[in-house]
Amino acid sequence: QNRSTGAEHYVQITVTSQLGANIKLTYGPDETSIGDFILAPNVPQTIPINYSALEPSLSENIENKGIHLVSDNPVNVYALNYRTQSSDVAVIYPVKSIGSEYYAMCYSPKSTNSETKSEFLIAATASNTTVKIVPSVDCETNKANSTITVTLNKGQVYQVRSMSDLTGSYISANQPIAFFSGTMSSYIPNTAASADHLYEQIPQTTT
């Protein structure tokens, strides 16, 4: 989730393939269609995502906003979340490269600004996925070092936010999950005058 202020806001993915590819993009447990796309070889294609419908907006709640991309050839995928003066891009890993154990890497929020919250996001790739979360600091609802247990279905996501740095939070699941962490926006260093969105897909602990 990016910060909520700034005149312009959009989310998009960029897909490339050396071979060209046929792509199907869906979201949520019901695999609701976003669209089908044809990639020409070595020509990047940018696909807009309806951020008002699909950008996570809650903390410690299940949302049906997981985006699923399927291609008939190998592709590179990048995801951009843009807000005026606050944006970041993440490389997206294929499902076969993700795992079931992670540690969050976030950043210290500027405590005087509620839009600089630390955050991480779990996306389920299979139904009946049991996820256990041990936050390193107090979240919006749960306390530091408590165990949050949540069951997610394929295409569901679960975002956790905090006014403190969530780095070191531990996440494990009984099935592979995609995991992202960062901040809504951060001042780097904390004495800086402006803030910018931070997020990245995190590798599993075994890698």
Side-chain angles (χ1 to χ4, degrees), residues 25-39:
L25 206 59
T26 60
Y27 74 91
D30 297 329
E31 298 274 1
T32 303
S33 178
I34 294 174
D36 297 327
F37 306 89
I38 300 173
L39 256 67

Side-chain angles (χ1 to χ4, degrees), residues 113-124:
N113 188 335
S114 63
E115 290 195 325
T116 67
K117 291 178 182 178
S118 182
E119 62 187 354
F120 59 76
L121 178 79
I122 297 149

Side-chain angles (χ1 to χ4, degrees), residues 36-37 55 65 72 108 117 129 138 150 163 167 186 188 199:
D36 297 327
F37 306 89
E55 182 180 25
K65 296 180 177 182
D72 61 355
S108 299
K117 291 178 182 178
T129 297
D138 289 352
V150 60
M163 286 300 297
T167 295
S186 274
I188 304 175
Y199 88 105

Side-chain angles (χ1 to χ4, degrees), residues 57-113:
S57 59
L58 303 172
S59 181
E60 296 141 278
N61 281 272
I62 296 172
E63 300 181 79
N64 295 328
K65 296 180 177 182
I67 297 170
H68 187 203
L69 184 150
V70 177
S71 171
D72 61 355
N73 277 323
V75 291
N76 297 308
V77 182
Y78 310 86
L80 166 69
N81 189 327
Y82 178 90
R83 172 74 78 171
T84 304
Q85 297 181 319
S86 180
S87 60
D88 203 5
V89 176
V91 175
I92 305 301
Y93 301 150
V95 172
K96 67 180 180 180
S97 297
I98 65 176
S100 56
E101 184 184 55
Y102 297 89
Y103 281 98
M105 295 178 65
C106 304
Y107 196 79
S108 299
K110 195 165 188 174
S111 60
T112 57
N113 188 335

Side-chain angles (χ1 to χ4, degrees), residues 187-202:
Y187 296 79
I188 304 175
N190 243 6
T191 54
S194 61
D196 207 8
H197 187 39
L198 294 175
Y199 88 105
E200 203 69 63
Q201 185 167 1
I202 304 300

